[in-house]
Amino acid sequence: MAGIADFLDSLIGGFALICYSLTIGGLFWGLFVLRPWLSEDGGQRAEDRYNAVLLQKTVTLIYKGGFLLAAAQLFKIILKIWLMTAVLERWPFPEFAGTTQFIGGIVRTILTVFLAGYCYQTLSKNPFSRMHWITAVVVALPMIISGAWLVHAAGRFENQFILMALTVIHQLAAAAWIGGIFQLVNLWLLRQSKQVPAELWPFLLRRFSRFGIASVAVILISGLPIALQYIDTWNGLIGTGYGNLLMVKITLLSMALGFAWLNKSAVQEYGVSGNSYALNNRVPYYIEAETFVLVTLLFTAASLASQPPAIDISSLTA
């Protein structure tokens, strides 16, 4: 039964990370890449460049991701209650109600519903308003911060708050990158169905390229000290479940970065020569492959989160 519970926990965890990327990455996409409140090309109105279809689809992905994230978080709590009831053969309350996992999970569920509700009720009706995009990000901040109490570092005694902060930043940067990729897939589908102007494809690809590079840099900068803290020996890297999953995660990240480099090269070629062949015929397939790899990476990250850090395993076996 514990094995089934661990499998379901990893599965729901991966799904929750996808939803988190849709929501938080979507907000970052709107605020830093789309920027619908700006006028472009000598005063052309933003409404002329970004039609209502694009903005509505963008915001829809954000609030649907938020509602699904809240549901996934609630399901994880229910799953833990079910497992403890089965193992202990008694109702785990009121003891479980006082744990960090329960309180943090409930708080994050409520904050996520509030964020998704704001995006559904307000942002979707004012998608060209800079103030409403900024407000949505401000509303998201408590939910983002609340995630710090649901990670490995929350249960540690050494460097607890530093590791909690680094983990939240790591997740935030990953969501910004992966959520942006999801939005690029959405943009390509809208372009293929001729619901948005064709010139938006290279325009937003170029903008996202710079944003994606910054996101990946933050992922690497925040991830390295976390890995060094949790794995202190080579044996911990190759001889434990945590270390093995980390190696898989690094491999998948390298593959995703390879596809991202191909995308960037095509955008640069288009900027220099104006040749749109690679941009329109190769990049969509690169992005599809990158999306598949990143989704797999999220499920791997969820499995990694359910494993005890290698340094803890080493201390138990020493």
Side-chain angles (χ1 to χ4, degrees), residues 29-30 32-36 40 49-51 54-55 58 180-181 183-188 190-191 196-212 263 267 270 279 283 287:
W29 165 271
F32 296 109
V33 179
L34 207 59
R35 291 180 282 175
E40 300 287 347
R49 179 176 291 278
Y50 302 139
N51 60 30
L54 174 62
L55 270 296
T58 299
I181 295 297
Q183 291 290 347
L184 283 178
V185 173
N186 176 57
L187 175 64
W188 176 252
L190 291 175
R191 181 193 181 280
V196 297
E199 60 269 17
L200 279 183
W201 177 243
F203 174 73
L204 290 175
L205 268 176
R206 188 164 54 248
R207 271 193 178 176
F208 178 72
S209 179
R210 295 189 292 269
F211 178 77
N263 294 336
V267 171
Y270 174 78
L279 208 65
V283 168
I287 290 177

mmCIF file of all heavy atoms in Angstrom, residues 29-30 32-36 40 49-51 54-55 58 180-181 183-188 190-191 196-212 263 267 270 279 283 287:
data_model
loop_
_atom_site.group_PDB
_atom_site.id
_atom_site.type_symbol
_atom_site.label_atom_id
_atom_site.label_comp_id
_atom_site.label_asym_id
_atom_site.label_seq_id
_atom_site.Cartn_x
_atom_site.Cartn_y
_atom_site.Cartn_z
ATOM 1 N N TRP A 29 4.795 35.108 -18.310
ATOM 2 C CA TRP A 29 4.700 35.294 -19.761
ATOM 3 C C TRP A 29 3.966 36.600 -20.082
ATOM 4 O O TRP A 29 4.416 37.389 -20.909
ATOM 5 C CB TRP A 29 3.983 34.098 -20.371
ATOM 6 C CG TRP A 29 3.501 34.270 -21.772
ATOM 7 C CD1 TRP A 29 2.287 34.756 -22.169
ATOM 8 C CD2 TRP A 29 4.212 33.952 -22.988
ATOM 9 N NE1 TRP A 29 2.196 34.765 -23.541
ATOM 10 C CE2 TRP A 29 3.358 34.271 -24.062
ATOM 11 C CE3 TRP A 29 5.464 33.416 -23.258
ATOM 12 C CZ2 TRP A 29 3.724 34.080 -25.391
ATOM 13 C CZ3 TRP A 29 5.840 33.230 -24.577
ATOM 14 C CH2 TRP A 29 4.992 33.557 -25.621
ATOM 15 N N GLY A 30 2.848 36.817 -19.428
ATOM 16 C CA GLY A 30 2.079 38.035 -19.686
ATOM 17 C C GLY A 30 2.804 39.281 -19.246
ATOM 18 O O GLY A 30 2.801 40.301 -19.946
ATOM 19 N N PHE A 32 6.203 39.782 -18.599
ATOM 20 C CA PHE A 32 7.535 40.071 -19.116
ATOM 21 C C PHE A 32 7.706 39.803 -20.614
ATOM 22 O O PHE A 32 8.630 40.352 -21.226
ATOM 23 C CB PHE A 32 8.584 39.252 -18.347
ATOM 24 C CG PHE A 32 8.669 39.597 -16.898
ATOM 25 C CD1 PHE A 32 8.214 38.725 -15.925
ATOM 26 C CD2 PHE A 32 9.203 40.807 -16.491
ATOM 27 C CE1 PHE A 32 8.285 39.040 -14.576
ATOM 28 C CE2 PHE A 32 9.287 41.142 -15.146
ATOM 29 C CZ PHE A 32 8.820 40.254 -14.182
ATOM 30 N N VAL A 33 6.869 38.951 -21.197
ATOM 31 C CA VAL A 33 7.016 38.623 -22.617
ATOM 32 C C VAL A 33 5.905 39.258 -23.440
ATOM 33 O O VAL A 33 6.160 40.010 -24.384
ATOM 34 C CB VAL A 33 7.029 37.090 -22.833
ATOM 35 C CG1 VAL A 33 7.159 36.765 -24.326
ATOM 36 C CG2 VAL A 33 8.163 36.447 -22.055
ATOM 37 N N LEU A 34 4.673 38.981 -23.092
ATOM 38 C CA LEU A 34 3.551 39.495 -23.878
ATOM 39 C C LEU A 34 3.412 41.008 -23.728
ATOM 40 O O LEU A 34 3.298 41.732 -24.713
ATOM 41 C CB LEU A 34 2.262 38.787 -23.440
ATOM 42 C CG LEU A 34 1.141 38.678 -24.464
ATOM 43 C CD1 LEU A 34 1.605 37.918 -25.702
ATOM 44 C CD2 LEU A 34 -0.076 37.995 -23.843
ATOM 45 N N ARG A 35 3.392 41.471 -22.496
ATOM 46 C CA ARG A 35 3.248 42.901 -22.186
ATOM 47 C C ARG A 35 2.177 43.567 -23.052
ATOM 48 O O ARG A 35 2.451 44.479 -23.828
ATOM 49 C CB ARG A 35 4.593 43.618 -22.375
ATOM 50 C CG ARG A 35 5.629 43.224 -21.331
ATOM 51 C CD ARG A 35 6.936 43.927 -21.534
ATOM 52 N NE ARG A 35 7.709 43.326 -22.605
ATOM 53 C CZ ARG A 35 8.869 43.804 -23.072
ATOM 54 N NH1 ARG A 35 9.375 44.915 -22.582
ATOM 55 N NH2 ARG A 35 9.510 43.181 -24.031
ATOM 56 N N PRO A 36 0.940 43.166 -22.931
ATOM 57 C CA PRO A 36 -0.105 43.621 -23.847
ATOM 58 C C PRO A 36 -0.469 45.094 -23.717
ATOM 59 O O PRO A 36 -1.159 45.636 -24.595
ATOM 60 C CB PRO A 36 -1.305 42.736 -23.463
ATOM 61 C CG PRO A 36 -1.050 42.333 -22.054
ATOM 62 C CD PRO A 36 0.433 42.204 -21.930
ATOM 63 N N GLU A 40 3.366 49.123 -29.898
ATOM 64 C CA GLU A 40 4.555 48.743 -30.660
ATOM 65 C C GLU A 40 4.547 49.426 -32.025
ATOM 66 O O GLU A 40 3.518 49.854 -32.530
ATOM 67 C CB GLU A 40 4.585 47.223 -30.866
ATOM 68 C CG GLU A 40 4.616 46.429 -29.567
ATOM 69 C CD GLU A 40 5.953 46.508 -28.868
ATOM 70 O OE1 GLU A 40 6.932 46.963 -29.486
ATOM 71 O OE2 GLU A 40 6.013 46.120 -27.688
ATOM 72 N N ARG A 49 -2.173 44.608 -32.137
ATOM 73 C CA ARG A 49 -1.174 43.545 -32.237
ATOM 74 C C ARG A 49 -1.664 42.277 -31.544
ATOM 75 O O ARG A 49 -1.521 41.181 -32.060
ATOM 76 C CB ARG A 49 0.151 44.019 -31.619
ATOM 77 C CG ARG A 49 1.234 42.958 -31.658
ATOM 78 C CD ARG A 49 2.547 43.480 -31.141
ATOM 79 N NE ARG A 49 3.136 44.459 -32.049
ATOM 80 C CZ ARG A 49 3.847 44.128 -33.124
ATOM 81 N NH1 ARG A 49 4.025 42.862 -33.446
ATOM 82 N NH2 ARG A 49 4.365 45.060 -33.879
ATOM 83 N N TYR A 50 -2.197 42.426 -30.359
ATOM 84 C CA TYR A 50 -2.700 41.284 -29.599
ATOM 85 C C TYR A 50 -4.225 41.313 -29.608
ATOM 86 O O TYR A 50 -4.828 42.161 -28.959
ATOM 87 C CB TYR A 50 -2.222 41.326 -28.151
ATOM 88 C CG TYR A 50 -0.723 41.351 -27.985
ATOM 89 C CD1 TYR A 50 -0.130 42.166 -27.028
ATOM 90 C CD2 TYR A 50 0.096 40.554 -28.769
ATOM 91 C CE1 TYR A 50 1.239 42.177 -26.856
ATOM 92 C CE2 TYR A 50 1.457 40.563 -28.609
ATOM 93 C CZ TYR A 50 2.032 41.381 -27.651
ATOM 94 O OH TYR A 50 3.384 41.382 -27.487
ATOM 95 N N ASN A 51 -4.831 40.402 -30.340
ATOM 96 C CA ASN A 51 -6.290 40.398 -30.370
ATOM 97 C C ASN A 51 -6.861 39.728 -29.126
ATOM 98 O O ASN A 51 -6.141 39.142 -28.321
ATOM 99 C CB ASN A 51 -6.816 39.733 -31.652
ATOM 100 C CG ASN A 51 -6.352 38.291 -31.786
ATOM 101 O OD1 ASN A 51 -6.130 37.612 -30.794
ATOM 102 N ND2 ASN A 51 -6.212 37.824 -33.009
ATOM 103 N N LEU A 54 -6.099 35.849 -28.414
ATOM 104 C CA LEU A 54 -4.801 35.525 -27.817
ATOM 105 C C LEU A 54 -4.810 35.791 -26.318
ATOM 106 O O LEU A 54 -4.375 34.950 -25.521
ATOM 107 C CB LEU A 54 -3.688 36.338 -28.482
ATOM 108 C CG LEU A 54 -2.299 36.208 -27.861
ATOM 109 C CD1 LEU A 54 -1.798 34.777 -27.933
ATOM 110 C CD2 LEU A 54 -1.316 37.157 -28.523
ATOM 111 N N LEU A 55 -5.304 36.946 -25.920
ATOM 112 C CA LEU A 55 -5.302 37.296 -24.502
ATOM 113 C C LEU A 55 -6.216 36.384 -23.693
ATOM 114 O O LEU A 55 -5.872 35.969 -22.587
ATOM 115 C CB LEU A 55 -5.716 38.762 -24.335
ATOM 116 C CG LEU A 55 -4.597 39.816 -24.348
ATOM 117 C CD1 LEU A 55 -3.664 39.638 -23.170
ATOM 118 C CD2 LEU A 55 -3.801 39.780 -25.640
ATOM 119 N N THR A 58 -4.596 33.010 -23.302
ATOM 120 C CA THR A 58 -3.481 33.119 -22.360
ATOM 121 C C THR A 58 -3.981 33.092 -20.924
ATOM 122 O O THR A 58 -3.482 32.327 -20.084
ATOM 123 C CB THR A 58 -2.693 34.414 -22.619
ATOM 124 O OG1 THR A 58 -2.153 34.391 -23.946
ATOM 125 C CG2 THR A 58 -1.559 34.573 -21.614
ATOM 126 N N GLY A 180 6.251 29.343 -20.034
ATOM 127 C CA GLY A 180 6.430 30.070 -21.282
ATOM 128 C C GLY A 180 6.395 29.140 -22.491
ATOM 129 O O GLY A 180 5.840 29.491 -23.545
ATOM 130 N N ILE A 181 6.969 27.942 -22.358
ATOM 131 C CA ILE A 181 6.919 26.951 -23.440
ATOM 132 C C ILE A 181 5.477 26.539 -23.715
ATOM 133 O O ILE A 181 5.047 26.409 -24.873
ATOM 134 C CB ILE A 181 7.785 25.720 -23.089
ATOM 135 C CG1 ILE A 181 9.264 26.107 -22.990
ATOM 136 C CG2 ILE A 181 7.595 24.620 -24.126
ATOM 137 C CD1 ILE A 181 9.869 26.607 -24.280
ATOM 138 N N GLN A 183 2.901 28.361 -23.278
ATOM 139 C CA GLN A 183 2.267 29.497 -23.966
ATOM 140 C C GLN A 183 2.711 29.579 -25.429
ATOM 141 O O GLN A 183 1.920 29.981 -26.298
ATOM 142 C CB GLN A 183 2.605 30.806 -23.242
ATOM 143 C CG GLN A 183 1.957 30.962 -21.874
ATOM 144 C CD GLN A 183 0.459 31.183 -21.940
ATOM 145 O OE1 GLN A 183 -0.099 31.456 -23.000
ATOM 146 N NE2 GLN A 183 -0.207 31.070 -20.803
ATOM 147 N N LEU A 184 3.940 29.185 -25.714
ATOM 148 C CA LEU A 184 4.389 29.145 -27.111
ATOM 149 C C LEU A 184 3.619 28.091 -27.897
ATOM 150 O O LEU A 184 3.270 28.316 -29.070
ATOM 151 C CB LEU A 184 5.891 28.848 -27.179
ATOM 152 C CG LEU A 184 6.838 30.004 -26.850
ATOM 153 C CD1 LEU A 184 8.292 29.529 -26.916
ATOM 154 C CD2 LEU A 184 6.631 31.183 -27.801
ATOM 155 N N VAL A 185 3.355 26.951 -27.279
ATOM 156 C CA VAL A 185 2.533 25.928 -27.935
ATOM 157 C C VAL A 185 1.140 26.489 -28.219
ATOM 158 O O VAL A 185 0.585 26.308 -29.311
ATOM 159 C CB VAL A 185 2.438 24.659 -27.062
ATOM 160 C CG1 VAL A 185 1.439 23.669 -27.655
ATOM 161 C CG2 VAL A 185 3.809 24.008 -26.920
ATOM 162 N N ASN A 186 0.587 27.197 -27.243
ATOM 163 C CA ASN A 186 -0.721 27.826 -27.418
ATOM 164 C C ASN A 186 -0.688 28.835 -28.570
ATOM 165 O O ASN A 186 -1.602 28.874 -29.411
ATOM 166 C CB ASN A 186 -1.124 28.518 -26.116
ATOM 167 C CG ASN A 186 -2.422 29.289 -26.227
ATOM 168 O OD1 ASN A 186 -3.466 28.744 -26.576
ATOM 169 N ND2 ASN A 186 -2.375 30.579 -25.933
ATOM 170 N N LEU A 187 0.377 29.636 -28.623
ATOM 171 C CA LEU A 187 0.514 30.628 -29.693
ATOM 172 C C LEU A 187 0.600 29.956 -31.061
ATOM 173 O O LEU A 187 -0.030 30.417 -32.029
ATOM 174 C CB LEU A 187 1.768 31.476 -29.432
ATOM 175 C CG LEU A 187 2.130 32.498 -30.515
ATOM 176 C CD1 LEU A 187 1.053 33.564 -30.635
ATOM 177 C CD2 LEU A 187 3.495 33.135 -30.202
ATOM 178 N N TRP A 188 1.364 28.875 -31.159
ATOM 179 C CA TRP A 188 1.509 28.191 -32.451
ATOM 180 C C TRP A 188 0.172 27.604 -32.912
ATOM 181 O O TRP A 188 -0.169 27.686 -34.093
ATOM 182 C CB TRP A 188 2.556 27.091 -32.341
ATOM 183 C CG TRP A 188 2.672 26.285 -33.610
ATOM 184 C CD1 TRP A 188 2.256 25.012 -33.823
ATOM 185 C CD2 TRP A 188 3.229 26.732 -34.855
ATOM 186 N NE1 TRP A 188 2.521 24.620 -35.117
ATOM 187 C CE2 TRP A 188 3.115 25.658 -35.775
ATOM 188 C CE3 TRP A 188 3.810 27.921 -35.280
ATOM 189 C CZ2 TRP A 188 3.565 25.745 -37.088
ATOM 190 C CZ3 TRP A 188 4.259 28.009 -36.592
ATOM 191 C CH2 TRP A 188 4.133 26.933 -37.481
ATOM 192 N N LEU A 190 -2.780 28.744 -32.194
ATOM 193 C CA LEU A 190 -3.610 29.875 -32.633
ATOM 194 C C LEU A 190 -3.155 30.390 -33.994
ATOM 195 O O LEU A 190 -3.979 30.779 -34.827
ATOM 196 C CB LEU A 190 -3.547 31.006 -31.601
ATOM 197 C CG LEU A 190 -4.220 30.723 -30.251
ATOM 198 C CD1 LEU A 190 -3.970 31.883 -29.285
ATOM 199 C CD2 LEU A 190 -5.718 30.514 -30.439
ATOM 200 N N ARG A 191 -1.842 30.388 -34.230
ATOM 201 C CA ARG A 191 -1.329 30.821 -35.526
ATOM 202 C C ARG A 191 -1.756 29.855 -36.621
ATOM 203 O O ARG A 191 -2.145 30.271 -37.717
ATOM 204 C CB ARG A 191 0.192 30.904 -35.477
ATOM 205 C CG ARG A 191 0.835 31.376 -36.784
ATOM 206 C CD ARG A 191 2.332 31.130 -36.765
ATOM 207 N NE ARG A 191 2.966 31.587 -37.998
ATOM 208 C CZ ARG A 191 2.965 30.916 -39.142
ATOM 209 N NH1 ARG A 191 2.325 29.742 -39.224
ATOM 210 N NH2 ARG A 191 3.576 31.398 -40.214
ATOM 211 N N VAL A 196 -4.573 34.399 -34.822
ATOM 212 C CA VAL A 196 -3.690 35.516 -34.487
ATOM 213 C C VAL A 196 -2.839 35.827 -35.706
ATOM 214 O O VAL A 196 -2.627 34.957 -36.563
ATOM 215 C CB VAL A 196 -2.778 35.188 -33.275
ATOM 216 C CG1 VAL A 196 -3.601 34.938 -32.024
ATOM 217 C CG2 VAL A 196 -1.876 34.012 -33.581
ATOM 218 N N PRO A 197 -2.322 37.063 -35.832
ATOM 219 C CA PRO A 197 -1.461 37.416 -36.965
ATOM 220 C C PRO A 197 -0.207 36.542 -37.008
ATOM 221 O O PRO A 197 0.381 36.217 -35.969
ATOM 222 C CB PRO A 197 -1.103 38.877 -36.691
ATOM 223 C CG PRO A 197 -2.186 39.388 -35.796
ATOM 224 C CD PRO A 197 -2.600 38.228 -34.957
ATOM 225 N N ALA A 198 0.210 36.155 -38.196
ATOM 226 C CA ALA A 198 1.367 35.269 -38.360
ATOM 227 C C ALA A 198 2.653 35.889 -37.835
ATOM 228 O O ALA A 198 3.537 35.184 -37.350
ATOM 229 C CB ALA A 198 1.518 34.905 -39.836
ATOM 230 N N GLU A 199 2.766 37.228 -37.898
ATOM 231 C CA GLU A 199 4.008 37.878 -37.477
ATOM 232 C C GLU A 199 4.224 37.821 -35.962
ATOM 233 O O GLU A 199 5.320 38.116 -35.482
ATOM 234 C CB GLU A 199 4.040 39.338 -37.939
ATOM 235 C CG GLU A 199 2.916 40.215 -37.414
ATOM 236 C CD GLU A 199 1.714 40.234 -38.341
ATOM 237 O OE1 GLU A 199 1.618 39.341 -39.205
ATOM 238 O OE2 GLU A 199 0.886 41.155 -38.193
ATOM 239 N N LEU A 200 3.192 37.443 -35.205
ATOM 240 C CA LEU A 200 3.369 37.324 -33.762
ATOM 241 C C LEU A 200 4.289 36.168 -33.397
ATOM 242 O O LEU A 200 4.950 36.203 -32.360
ATOM 243 C CB LEU A 200 2.010 37.112 -33.074
ATOM 244 C CG LEU A 200 1.149 38.342 -32.819
ATOM 245 C CD1 LEU A 200 -0.110 37.960 -32.068
ATOM 246 C CD2 LEU A 200 1.920 39.398 -32.053
ATOM 247 N N TRP A 201 4.325 35.149 -34.235
ATOM 248 C CA TRP A 201 5.139 33.969 -33.937
ATOM 249 C C TRP A 201 6.617 34.321 -33.800
ATOM 250 O O TRP A 201 7.216 34.087 -32.734
ATOM 251 C CB TRP A 201 4.887 32.905 -34.994
ATOM 252 C CG TRP A 201 5.705 31.656 -34.873
ATOM 253 C CD1 TRP A 201 6.622 31.187 -35.769
ATOM 254 C CD2 TRP A 201 5.687 30.696 -33.808
ATOM 255 N NE1 TRP A 201 7.168 30.009 -35.338
ATOM 256 C CE2 TRP A 201 6.602 29.678 -34.124
ATOM 257 C CE3 TRP A 201 4.973 30.600 -32.611
ATOM 258 C CZ2 TRP A 201 6.839 28.591 -33.301
ATOM 259 C CZ3 TRP A 201 5.210 29.509 -31.782
ATOM 260 C CH2 TRP A 201 6.132 28.517 -32.138
ATOM 261 N N PRO A 202 7.268 34.917 -34.803
ATOM 262 C CA PRO A 202 8.685 35.275 -34.623
ATOM 263 C C PRO A 202 8.886 36.385 -33.590
ATOM 264 O O PRO A 202 9.899 36.395 -32.874
ATOM 265 C CB PRO A 202 9.115 35.737 -36.022
ATOM 266 C CG PRO A 202 7.856 36.118 -36.714
ATOM 267 C CD PRO A 202 6.813 35.201 -36.182
ATOM 268 N N PHE A 203 7.923 37.300 -33.504
ATOM 269 C CA PHE A 203 8.044 38.423 -32.569
ATOM 270 C C PHE A 203 8.115 37.931 -31.127
ATOM 271 O O PHE A 203 9.002 38.319 -30.355
ATOM 272 C CB PHE A 203 6.847 39.365 -32.775
ATOM 273 C CG PHE A 203 6.780 40.491 -31.786
ATOM 274 C CD1 PHE A 203 7.661 41.558 -31.850
ATOM 275 C CD2 PHE A 203 5.817 40.490 -30.781
ATOM 276 C CE1 PHE A 203 7.595 42.591 -30.935
ATOM 277 C CE2 PHE A 203 5.736 41.520 -29.859
ATOM 278 C CZ PHE A 203 6.626 42.577 -29.945
ATOM 279 N N LEU A 204 7.197 37.034 -30.734
ATOM 280 C CA LEU A 204 7.166 36.547 -29.358
ATOM 281 C C LEU A 204 8.219 35.477 -29.096
ATOM 282 O O LEU A 204 8.693 35.319 -27.957
ATOM 283 C CB LEU A 204 5.767 36.021 -29.020
ATOM 284 C CG LEU A 204 4.698 37.117 -28.915
ATOM 285 C CD1 LEU A 204 3.315 36.523 -28.712
ATOM 286 C CD2 LEU A 204 5.028 38.090 -27.788
ATOM 287 N N LEU A 205 8.596 34.725 -30.136
ATOM 288 C CA LEU A 205 9.716 33.797 -29.979
ATOM 289 C C LEU A 205 10.990 34.547 -29.602
ATOM 290 O O LEU A 205 11.745 34.114 -28.730
ATOM 291 C CB LEU A 205 9.944 33.024 -31.277
ATOM 292 C CG LEU A 205 9.243 31.685 -31.452
ATOM 293 C CD1 LEU A 205 9.513 31.135 -32.850
ATOM 294 C CD2 LEU A 205 9.685 30.683 -30.401
ATOM 295 N N ARG A 206 11.213 35.671 -30.276
ATOM 296 C CA ARG A 206 12.420 36.468 -29.999
ATOM 297 C C ARG A 206 12.385 37.014 -28.576
ATOM 298 O O ARG A 206 13.389 37.008 -27.865
ATOM 299 C CB ARG A 206 12.520 37.596 -31.026
ATOM 300 C CG ARG A 206 13.822 38.376 -30.980
ATOM 301 C CD ARG A 206 14.022 39.197 -32.244
ATOM 302 N NE ARG A 206 12.882 40.061 -32.499
ATOM 303 C CZ ARG A 206 12.044 39.894 -33.544
ATOM 304 N NH1 ARG A 206 12.229 38.881 -34.375
ATOM 305 N NH2 ARG A 206 11.044 40.723 -33.732
ATOM 306 N N ARG A 207 11.232 37.500 -28.150
ATOM 307 C CA ARG A 207 11.106 38.017 -26.793
ATOM 308 C C ARG A 207 11.308 36.918 -25.750
ATOM 309 O O ARG A 207 11.989 37.103 -24.749
ATOM 310 C CB ARG A 207 9.722 38.650 -26.593
ATOM 311 C CG ARG A 207 9.660 40.115 -26.957
ATOM 312 C CD ARG A 207 8.368 40.714 -26.429
ATOM 313 N NE ARG A 207 8.299 42.129 -26.708
ATOM 314 C CZ ARG A 207 7.241 42.886 -26.429
ATOM 315 N NH1 ARG A 207 6.167 42.327 -25.868
ATOM 316 N NH2 ARG A 207 7.248 44.165 -26.703
ATOM 317 N N PHE A 208 10.703 35.764 -25.997
ATOM 318 C CA PHE A 208 10.803 34.690 -25.013
ATOM 319 C C PHE A 208 12.217 34.122 -24.947
ATOM 320 O O PHE A 208 12.631 33.625 -23.894
ATOM 321 C CB PHE A 208 9.816 33.565 -25.336
ATOM 322 C CG PHE A 208 9.906 32.414 -24.374
ATOM 323 C CD1 PHE A 208 9.437 32.548 -23.070
ATOM 324 C CD2 PHE A 208 10.491 31.214 -24.747
ATOM 325 C CE1 PHE A 208 9.541 31.496 -22.167
ATOM 326 C CE2 PHE A 208 10.590 30.163 -23.858
ATOM 327 C CZ PHE A 208 10.115 30.302 -22.558
ATOM 328 N N SER A 209 12.950 34.189 -26.036
ATOM 329 C CA SER A 209 14.310 33.663 -26.061
ATOM 330 C C SER A 209 15.157 34.317 -24.979
ATOM 331 O O SER A 209 15.866 33.639 -24.224
ATOM 332 C CB SER A 209 14.933 33.881 -27.440
ATOM 333 O OG SER A 209 16.249 33.390 -27.468
ATOM 334 N N ARG A 210 15.072 35.627 -24.870
ATOM 335 C CA ARG A 210 15.840 36.343 -23.841
ATOM 336 C C ARG A 210 15.341 35.999 -22.439
ATOM 337 O O ARG A 210 16.126 35.792 -21.509
ATOM 338 C CB ARG A 210 15.756 37.853 -24.089
ATOM 339 C CG ARG A 210 16.400 38.306 -25.383
ATOM 340 C CD ARG A 210 16.484 39.814 -25.448
ATOM 341 N NE ARG A 210 15.156 40.431 -25.565
ATOM 342 C CZ ARG A 210 14.566 40.718 -26.718
ATOM 343 N NH1 ARG A 210 15.167 40.416 -27.864
ATOM 344 N NH2 ARG A 210 13.383 41.301 -26.735
ATOM 345 N N PHE A 211 14.029 35.936 -22.281
ATOM 346 C CA PHE A 211 13.446 35.622 -20.986
ATOM 347 C C PHE A 211 13.796 34.190 -20.571
ATOM 348 O O PHE A 211 14.083 33.923 -19.402
ATOM 349 C CB PHE A 211 11.926 35.800 -21.055
ATOM 350 C CG PHE A 211 11.206 35.458 -19.792
ATOM 351 C CD1 PHE A 211 11.213 36.334 -18.714
ATOM 352 C CD2 PHE A 211 10.514 34.264 -19.664
ATOM 353 C CE1 PHE A 211 10.542 36.030 -17.545
ATOM 354 C CE2 PHE A 211 9.854 33.944 -18.499
ATOM 355 C CZ PHE A 211 9.863 34.838 -17.431
ATOM 356 N N GLY A 212 13.769 33.264 -21.534
ATOM 357 C CA GLY A 212 14.094 31.878 -21.247
ATOM 358 C C GLY A 212 15.521 31.702 -20.774
ATOM 359 O O GLY A 212 15.792 30.898 -19.863
ATOM 360 N N ASN A 263 16.047 26.275 -30.989
ATOM 361 C CA ASN A 263 15.043 27.331 -31.168
ATOM 362 C C ASN A 263 15.704 28.703 -31.266
ATOM 363 O O ASN A 263 15.367 29.507 -32.143
ATOM 364 C CB ASN A 263 14.052 27.326 -29.995
ATOM 365 C CG ASN A 263 13.214 26.060 -29.951
ATOM 366 O OD1 ASN A 263 13.030 25.398 -30.967
ATOM 367 N ND2 ASN A 263 12.713 25.724 -28.773
ATOM 368 N N VAL A 267 15.746 31.493 -34.364
ATOM 369 C CA VAL A 267 15.314 32.885 -34.189
ATOM 370 C C VAL A 267 16.413 33.840 -34.628
ATOM 371 O O VAL A 267 16.149 34.849 -35.304
ATOM 372 C CB VAL A 267 14.927 33.138 -32.711
ATOM 373 C CG1 VAL A 267 14.680 34.622 -32.472
ATOM 374 C CG2 VAL A 267 13.686 32.344 -32.334
ATOM 375 N N TYR A 270 16.639 33.897 -38.407
ATOM 376 C CA TYR A 270 15.543 34.698 -38.974
ATOM 377 C C TYR A 270 15.849 36.184 -38.837
ATOM 378 O O TYR A 270 15.585 36.973 -39.757
ATOM 379 C CB TYR A 270 14.240 34.365 -38.258
ATOM 380 C CG TYR A 270 13.086 35.232 -38.668
ATOM 381 C CD1 TYR A 270 12.409 35.010 -39.876
ATOM 382 C CD2 TYR A 270 12.651 36.280 -37.863
ATOM 383 C CE1 TYR A 270 11.340 35.805 -40.255
ATOM 384 C CE2 TYR A 270 11.583 37.070 -38.229
ATOM 385 C CZ TYR A 270 10.930 36.836 -39.425
ATOM 386 O OH TYR A 270 9.867 37.637 -39.796
ATOM 387 N N LEU A 279 12.038 28.703 -38.800
ATOM 388 C CA LEU A 279 11.159 29.254 -37.778
ATOM 389 C C LEU A 279 9.768 28.636 -37.838
ATOM 390 O O LEU A 279 9.146 28.370 -36.806
ATOM 391 C CB LEU A 279 11.071 30.770 -37.944
ATOM 392 C CG LEU A 279 10.779 31.600 -36.688
ATOM 393 C CD1 LEU A 279 11.912 31.493 -35.691
ATOM 394 C CD2 LEU A 279 10.545 33.047 -37.076
ATOM 395 N N VAL A 283 11.018 24.840 -35.799
ATOM 396 C CA VAL A 283 10.870 25.280 -34.413
ATOM 397 C C VAL A 283 9.626 24.696 -33.739
ATOM 398 O O VAL A 283 9.705 24.265 -32.580
ATOM 399 C CB VAL A 283 10.865 26.825 -34.332
ATOM 400 C CG1 VAL A 283 10.420 27.295 -32.947
ATOM 401 C CG2 VAL A 283 12.258 27.357 -34.648
ATOM 402 N N ILE A 287 9.841 22.707 -30.255
ATOM 403 C CA ILE A 287 9.090 23.106 -29.062
ATOM 404 C C ILE A 287 8.231 21.954 -28.562
ATOM 405 O O ILE A 287 8.100 21.736 -27.351
ATOM 406 C CB ILE A 287 8.237 24.354 -29.356
ATOM 407 C CG1 ILE A 287 9.158 25.568 -29.534
ATOM 408 C CG2 ILE A 287 7.231 24.610 -28.237
ATOM 409 C CD1 ILE A 287 8.443 26.836 -29.893
#
